[in-house]
Amino acid sequence: MPVPEVLDAWRMVATRRGIEGRVPLTSLLRLRGSLVDADGEVEYSLDFGTDELQIPYADLRAQTALPLLCQRSLERFLFPVTIEQRLGLIRDEADEAALPEGYEPLLMPADGILSPTDLVEDELILAIPVVPVKPGTEAMEADWPVPEADLERINPFAALSALKNKPDNSN
């Protein structure tokens, strides 16, 4: 059964239903700008319900490997992402304060219509590191120490410091 493009979140909560799906990275247009390429897909599930405090929620689980560009080696690498997030469905921003700890607020539109793909894409965008670094490239810095001359060039005050420490011969 194909995953619907949109669904009625309030109806899903009332019937305690869930969906599972896969979506190709090529279809996540907002995310694609942060990726090296769009090879791959995201596997996800959304389960709706209400907790013991009668707070409506959606449990989002998603798993993928995002093709990113390492900012240290400039190589493509796959960044594994696993998302397990409980979203508290709120009708008004003021309701956010009533959410229990561990809930992420999701402000719902008045009609309750939700796009599962947009929701997954939002969470994936948040999961991308500010500076993507391929695991194992930390050793590169140790292999390539900065030459002493470059260190002096990096610090423009190093030359002033050297002058300050010279004995004054102007007398």
Side-chain angles (χ1 to χ4, degrees), residues 150-166:
D150 287 349
L151 284 175
E152 287 179 19
R153 227 179 289 136
I154 291 169
N155 183 353
F157 299 105
L160 291 175
S161 177
L163 290 173
K164 181 178 162 188
N165 293 334
K166 279 188 179 178

Side-chain angles (χ1 to χ4, degrees), residues 67-136:
L68 300 179
L69 182 67
C70 173
Q71 296 302 303
R72 193 172 273 149
S73 67
L74 298 180
E75 295 174 336
R76 177 191 189 271
F77 76 103
L78 292 176
F79 180 72
V81 176
T82 300
I83 296 168
E84 291 187 18
Q85 185 69 59
R86 177 160 279 191
L87 304 163
L89 308 181
I90 58 175
R91 297 173 195 267
D92 190 291
E93 285 183 28
D95 298 338
E96 184 177 340
L99 290 177
E101 191 174 326
Y103 281 58
E104 189 67 34
L106 179 62
L107 185 60
M108 296 297 299
D111 60 8
I113 300 299
L114 186 69
S115 164
T117 304
D118 286 351
L119 188 57
V120 169
E121 185 175 22
D122 290 345
E123 293 298 320
L124 289 175
I125 289 169
L126 291 172
I128 294 177
V130 175
V131 180
V133 177
K134 182 179 177 180

